[in-house]
Structure formats: C-alpha cells, structure tokens
Amino acid sequence: MNAAAPLWAKGLAKAAALAADVLLPGRCLRCGVIVSETGALCSSCWETMAFIAAPQCDRCGQPFEVDPASGVVCATCIADPPAYQRARAVFRYDDASRALILRFKHGDRTGAAPHFARWMVRAGGDLMDGDPVFVPVPLHPWRLWRRRYNQAAILAVAIARQAGKTCVPDALVRIRATPSQGRLGRGQRRRNVKGAFRLKRPEAVEGKRIVLVDDVLTTGATVDECVRILQRGHASQVDVLTLARVVLTPDFEIAENTLYS
C-alpha cells in the first residue's frame, strides 16, 4: 500500500484517464449531467452541498455558527465525550447529500470512491500527519454478501492509496448481525451495536494511531463501539473520518429517526 508506483505506471494511468475523459465525458456525481472533469459536481449540485470546514469543534467536527478560538470543543463533547479523539467529515448529511451517498452505498456506484477519497483526504488533513493506519467500519458477512461490497472499506482503501498510508481492511470484523440503525434513536443505537465487533488483526493496531473510516457519522454509536474495540487492542489513538455527518440540532432526536441508512 505504501510502495510508490513507477513513473511509467503513473504516466500510463494519466494517459488512460485523459483518453477516458475524451471518449466518455465526465458526469456529475450527484445528478449525472455532463461536467468538465470526471469526478466533479455540476455547479447546481455544488451549490446545494453543505461542505464542512472551520470553524468546527476540535473533537467531533461539529460546525460552529461563529468562529471561536482554535481548539474549542462543543458543549456536547464536554457533556458526553466521544470515545474517539477527533472526527472529521466532508459535508453534512442532509437532503442534498443523501442521494449521492445512497447511490454509492446501495446502488453500486463504487466508481465514485476515488473522488470521495480525494475530498476526505482534504477534509481530514489534520488526521493525515505521521503514519496513521486506516481501518474501515466492517459489515456483517450476511450484509456484505447481500450488498456485495463494504462502502467503508472501499473508501478506506482509496484514502490510504491517495495519502500514501497503510490500510488494514480486515482489522475489525462484525460478529453479530444487527438491525439497520436508520430508524433507531440515540440510546437504541448504542444498545444495538454493543458487542457487535471484534478485533481480528491486533498486530496491525497495537501502538498505532488509527483512522476509522465510515460513510456517515450519525449519533456516533457505531464508531464509538468500534473505537472501544480498537482501544482494547492498545491503539495509541483513534480518529474518525467520514464522507458525511449529521449536524446536531435541538430536534436531532426526532430528525435522526427520518434517516435511511
């Protein structure tokens, strides 16, 4: 994963990409209209996406309405600290981004992964320092068999490749099939995933800084459970990187029940 590709291979890949752009014009990742660059969003879709950037909580990445001093942690993280050290995401999970993510997650649009990974590397810039190991949130074997791929693993591999880092796709395994989290409240989600994961590759985790990868961060119940398993495996630190995240609002407990995942 860390080995640099030969110059001739990189040149061949660029030539192939150029030829593909000429023969098959790029299409917007969200709506499918023709765009100037493969893996881009059209101007209309770009304007609808709520990208997350500073100012944000230094811990969970929740965006702030106003710009506080750097390193500030939100009230939620102070009252109920997450298991992970830091979390970062590209954009909000809302009406605009939902279709984009669900096509990737359930609609076999896995070709978007390198483009999503490029955004995620940029959004998680402060997680890339040093030599982190990227680990995806796993699917249960039955769900993996039905879906045919784990979207989190595809993202983790693509991110590690672009960042020149290490990815261990099978570091964690899901040992208990759980109902979909989409219709569950915060407390129900935590109970639902309790004991659902196991560390399969302890040697890949011990003493390492881990970046846990998933597609969407909602209440954090799933990633918190995975983080605890990684911490028991003596990971030195665990951060989280997702494509999207639900932005907490006063009516979040109601809003989260409308999510489909």
Side-chain angles (χ1 to χ4, degrees):
M1 187 65 68
N2 290 322
L7 288 176
W8 64 265
K10 290 182 179 179
L12 190 61
K14 286 182 180 178
L18 248 137
D21 285 345
V22 172
L23 297 173
L24 300 169
R27 292 189 175 275
C28 172
L29 290 174
R30 183 172 179 268
C31 71
V33 303
I34 293 176
V35 291
S36 59
E37 179 186 356
T38 300
L41 293 171
C42 68
S43 57
S44 297
C45 289
W46 181 272
E47 290 173 0
T48 67
M49 302 295 289
F51 290 93
I52 297 174
Q56 59 189 155
C57 172
D58 192 59
R59 188 78 180 266
C60 73
Q62 165 90 353
F64 290 134
E65 294 295 331
V66 296
D67 193 357
S70 61
V72 171
V73 175
C74 70
T76 301
C77 287
I78 293 172
D80 185 16
Y84 54 78
Q85 185 66 28
R86 296 171 295 178
R88 299 292 181 264
V90 176
F91 43 65
R92 298 181 184 221
Y93 187 70
D94 55 18
D95 289 340
S97 65
R98 186 176 292 115
L100 183 68
I101 292 171
L102 293 182
R103 275 197 214 100
F104 171 63
K105 187 171 181 175
H106 299 290
D108 293 334
R109 301 291 182 87
T110 56
H115 312 299
F116 292 158
R118 186 173 69 247
W119 297 347
M120 293 172 79
V121 168
R122 188 180 304 122
D126 54 344
L127 311 184
M128 302 293 158
D129 294 339
D131 194 23
V133 174
F134 289 83
V135 171
V137 172
L139 286 180
H140 187 272
W142 281 114
R143 185 165 292 176
L144 181 61
W145 178 79
R146 288 197 301 270
R147 192 178 296 173
R148 302 186 305 283
Y149 62 91
N150 177 4
Q151 72 282 353
I154 291 174
L155 288 173
V157 169
I159 292 165
R161 182 176 293 126
Q162 291 191 23
K165 308 295 184 181
T166 299
C167 178
V168 185
D170 60 342
L172 289 171
V173 291
R174 196 162 193 147
I175 58 175
R176 183 167 61 80
T178 56
S180 171
Q181 300 269 73
R183 306 288 179 181
L184 302 180
R186 186 190 300 268
Q188 291 172 309
R189 285 173 180 246
R190 288 179 177 174
R191 291 189 294 273
N192 189 43
V193 296
K194 189 71 174 174
F197 303 97
R198 179 175 65 82
L199 184 61
K200 180 181 178 182
R201 297 279 304 279
E203 77 285 353
V205 168
E206 186 173 4
K208 305 291 179 60
R209 184 166 67 82
I210 305 298
V211 177
L212 185 68
V213 177
D214 205 359
D215 54 345
V216 181
L217 177 64
T218 309
T219 63
T222 297
V223 298
D224 268 5
E225 185 66 15
C226 289
V227 169
R228 291 187 183 97
I229 300 300
L230 292 166
Q231 289 170 339
R232 288 174 201 157
H234 304 291
S236 62
Q237 179 175 316
V238 186
D239 297 315
V240 175
L241 182 58
T242 61
L243 183 58
R245 66 157 296 147
V246 170
V247 172
L248 304 180
T249 61
D251 60 346
F252 177 66
E253 290 291 349
I254 297 173
E256 70 168 336
N257 291 330
T258 68
L259 295 176
Y260 171 69
S261 61

